[in-house]
Every structure is written in structure tokens, then in C-alpha cells.
Amino acid sequence: MGKGCQFKTPRNERIAKVEAVNELRRAGMNARKAADKCGIVYAKYRHWADDLGIECKYNSRWGDTTNL
């Protein structure tokens, strides 16, 4: 893995943002739009979610949610 810098945003705030985006996604919103609505860019959302081990897959076409 890389040797990047430490996150400037505290862990609990990152968890809250990722969960907020995932909640909007479960309601059927596009991931990029959900991240934007929560005040972060999609790339940051993905980076934080990957680092925290939080995954949410939502297939809006079929309406099913799988949380890993």
C-alpha cells in the first residue's frame, strides 16, 4: 500500500459522512449525487469508504440493497 498522509478529517466524522452517503444511496440516489449532497466529492467518499472498510452496493435498477 501507499505511504500517503494521515487523514485530516477525524475517523468518526469520516464514518458519519460515508454512512450518510450510503443512506441516500439506499433511498435510490446516485452515489455521486449523494456524495455531493453530503458535501464531499465522490472520489473522497470512495477513498474514505475503502479505508474504513464500509461498503454499500445498491442496484437501483432492481431495487435491492446489499451491505457488506
Side-chain angles (χ1 to χ4, degrees):
M1 291 308 233
K3 297 180 182 179
C5 299
Q6 293 290 329
F7 290 103
K8 294 179 182 177
T9 307
R11 182 178 175 85
N12 61 341
E13 289 181 34
R14 290 185 286 131
I15 291 170
K17 285 281 188 179
V18 169
E19 290 296 336
V21 172
N22 287 342
E23 187 65 31
L24 291 172
R25 292 182 67 195
R26 284 189 286 275
M29 188 177 285
N30 174 292
R32 290 185 190 276
K33 289 180 183 177
D36 185 50
K37 187 167 183 158
C38 290
I40 59 174
V41 295
Y42 175 76
K44 186 177 282 191
Y45 158 71
R46 287 301 321 154
H47 184 86
W48 287 359
D50 289 345
D51 176 68
L52 295 166
I54 300 172
E55 187 61 58
C56 179
K57 294 188 178 191
Y58 180 79
N59 186 334
S60 60
R61 183 174 185 182
W62 304 111
D64 61 344
T65 304
T66 305
N67 290 307
L68 299 174

